[in-house]
Amino acid sequence: MMKNFDLSLYLVTNRDKLSDEDFFDVIEKSLKGGVSLVQLREKTAPAREVIELAKKLKELCHSYNVPLLVDDRVDIALAADLDGVHLGNDDMDVADARKILGDEKIIGSTAKNLDWAIAEEKKGADYLGVGAIFETKTHVKTKRTSVETLREINDNISISTVAIGGLNYENIDILKNSGASGVSVVRAIMDSENPFEDSRKLREKIVDVLDLH
């Protein structure tokens, strides 16, 4: 169980174009390159398949001392004994998830403004995903959140935040002095030709930009 977690390079998975073998290969290379937390996101696969995948992925992540969370699915977090769950605004309420998962598991939540962030912290979230900082090409329609809002949230809550939404090596400079503890990426790693090298460079730059030394 890893309640201590490092949000600096937060990878959200996407299996759309990858065979299972390639999927695990990308994840392993990115873990070697410095990914510090993995969130398994499977919007459409059947629960049984996701549980099997999650169990295998947990073994891989834990071999690098990296926690594995699952997007949305408290039942899958429980069934595969994952390190926690990330909940969006249409998913189970953080307080309800906490009742089910207990205090030892990591529960992340998404917030787009200050009131929302304060409410999620009160309900017991361990960290917040704040964004989208840029438009994203993933499955969800995104509404932009300014870096000013991210800064305001970090000034007024005591839990950590990870910046989310369309972020990559080229554009993360925008997060300087935002107070974020990390950057969440999908395509910057999942679509990479060289996931090890790209993760390594990204981690280095994040530590620099967010002053996480």
Side-chain angles (χ1 to χ4, degrees):
M1 185 54 243
M2 298 185 221
K3 185 75 176 205
N4 283 339
F5 54 92
D6 170 0
L7 293 171
S8 54
L9 181 49
Y10 184 128
L11 173 63
V12 179
T13 68
N14 178 10
R15 229 171 18 133
D16 285 358
K17 306 173 193 157
L18 300 170
S19 68
D20 278 6
E21 192 185 342
D22 288 341
F23 174 75
F24 281 101
D25 185 53
V26 168
I27 307 283
E28 178 149 32
K29 284 174 175 157
S30 74
L31 288 163
K32 284 180 178 161
V35 159
S36 61
L37 194 147
V38 177
Q39 180 198 128
L40 176 64
R41 181 155 72 184
E42 289 289 331
K43 292 289 188 195
T44 53
R48 183 173 294 198
E49 186 187 322
V50 181
I51 290 165
E52 284 314 302
L53 184 69
K55 285 177 177 171
K56 279 190 206 154
L57 192 56
K58 179 179 81 165
E59 216 169 280
L60 175 61
C61 290
H62 284 197
S63 70
Y64 290 90
N65 278 322
V66 168
L68 176 64
L69 311 183
V70 66
D71 187 36
D72 305 349
R73 302 289 300 268
V74 174
D75 55 339
I76 286 168
L78 216 50
D81 191 24
L82 304 183
D83 300 295
V85 67
H86 184 87
L87 301 168
N89 47 317
D90 295 327
D91 303 322
M92 188 183 290
D93 188 80
V94 168
D96 293 330
R98 184 61 76 198
K99 281 180 200 154
I100 295 168
L101 292 174
D103 290 335
E104 294 306 303
K105 301 287 188 187
I106 301 165
I107 299 180
S109 182
T110 304
K112 291 185 177 294
N113 59 45
L114 181 58
D115 291 346
W116 197 339
I118 290 168
E120 295 304 288
E121 179 178 25
K122 280 197 180 117
K123 287 175 188 170
D126 291 303
Y127 75 87
L128 297 177
V130 180
I133 305 296
F134 293 102
E135 301 293 333
T136 70
K137 295 188 181 71
T138 45
H139 306 289
V140 283
K141 275 311 285 165
T142 50
K143 190 170 174 294
R144 295 280 297 268
T145 297
S146 69
V147 176
E148 287 67 39
T149 302
L150 172 59
R151 194 176 295 123
E152 185 190 19
I153 288 170
N154 284 316
D155 286 343
N156 288 281
I157 62 170
S158 57
I159 55 175
S160 301
T161 62
V162 59
I164 60 177
L167 292 156
N168 57 47
Y169 187 86
E170 272 69 48
N171 65 19
I172 56 174
D173 293 297
I174 195 176
L175 298 171
K176 215 166 186 46
N177 304 318
S178 65
S181 296
V183 176
S184 170
V185 298
V186 185
R187 292 176 188 277
I189 289 174
M190 295 309 302
D191 291 359
S192 165
E193 298 288 307
N194 190 339
F196 167 74
E197 195 51 38
D198 285 348
S199 300
R200 191 186 63 73
K201 289 195 326 211
L202 201 47
R203 173 74 178 261
E204 238 170 56
K205 187 168 179 183
I206 288 165
V207 166
D208 204 35
V209 169
L210 299 181
D211 201 16
L212 303 174
H213 300 281

